[in-house]
Amino acid sequence: MSDETREPVKRLFFALGCAPEQRKAIARWRGELRLRSGRPVPAENFHLTLLFLGAVDVAQIAQICRAAAQVRTPGVALSVALDRLEVWRRAGALVLASEQPPPALLRLVYALEQAMLPFGLEEAPKEFRPHLTLMRDFREPVPESATPPEYVLRADRFTLFESHKGRYRALAEWPLVPA
């Protein structure tokens, strides 16, 4: 198929957003680490990815949204502790990770994975490891921190985001708590 006849695509992922005041606090904490390696993720892009979909035909987005709307949610807002600073060498990322992910978060991710299976978007889902990416192209050891990371990401909804030229745009969102 030639490029001219291919459907337009968008790079999509499901995530929990990060409140503006928390993004600022995390960015300030990251600044105190005095990092000399990698590229900082813009604070406005901080989020916790639930499921990366990759390149999706624009024509499929409405169906994906209908499937996401049917996902069984926890029925409560989620609180995810971001209490570990880790370097993911293969990905070249410095991340805030969760020592003990809440079971409700793991169930939500599994439900999303199951709901997206009919779309055949990702051959083999990777093991879910909740995290917030601080830096990309990071090739140093885990930096020392004067104050340990003690953030709790709270979310009452999950969102379908589009990634375009380094910026993330919310396309749709669904409550975790019934109205």
Side-chain angles (χ1 to χ4, degrees):
M1 182 184 305
S2 72
D3 284 344
E4 295 82 42
T5 58
R6 196 173 342 158
E7 288 286 323
V9 297
K10 292 184 183 266
R11 287 178 45 83
L12 304 180
F13 63 94
F14 288 102
L16 300 179
C18 188
E21 53 285 349
Q22 190 167 48
R23 289 194 303 254
K24 288 178 191 164
I26 292 171
R28 251 190 324 274
W29 180 82
R30 176 183 60 189
E32 292 167 5
L33 295 175
R34 308 251 186 262
L35 302 170
R36 295 184 299 277
S37 170
R39 293 180 298 119
V41 170
E44 62 268 14
N45 284 354
F46 286 167
H47 66 277
L48 190 146
T49 300
L50 300 172
L51 181 64
F52 182 72
L53 300 178
V56 175
D57 287 339
V58 170
Q60 283 187 299
I61 294 174
Q63 294 170 290
I64 286 170
C65 287
R66 281 193 292 279
Q70 300 304 310
V71 166
R72 184 171 179 193
T73 60
V76 296
L78 291 173
S79 293
V80 183
L82 298 171
D83 51 4
R84 287 181 54 89
L85 186 59
E86 298 179 355
V87 173
W88 291 1
R89 301 223 181 281
R90 287 183 58 185
L94 178 67
V95 302
L96 279 176
S98 182
E99 181 80 41
Q100 288 284 53
L105 173 67
L106 302 177
R107 287 191 297 273
L108 174 62
V109 169
Y110 179 76
L112 271 171
E113 288 171 349
Q114 296 305 301
M116 296 302 121
L117 282 176
F119 301 102
L121 299 172
E122 191 175 326
E123 299 80 43
K126 296 176 182 80
E127 176 190 354
F128 176 67
R129 299 188 326 186
H131 67 282
L132 183 147
T133 304
L134 297 171
M135 303 286 285
R136 299 195 188 288
D137 301 325
F138 192 82
R139 303 288 177 215
E140 302 291 322
V142 175
E144 293 289 323
S145 172
T147 56
E150 296 177 329
Y151 297 99
V152 177
L153 188 144
R154 291 182 173 79
D156 62 359
R157 66 195 69 237
F158 71 98
T159 305
L160 177 65
F161 284 97
E162 172 190 6
S163 172
H164 182 68
K165 295 185 179 178
R167 296 283 178 222
Y168 302 149
R169 183 171 68 100
L171 299 181
E173 58 184 26
W174 298 270
L176 295 173
V177 182

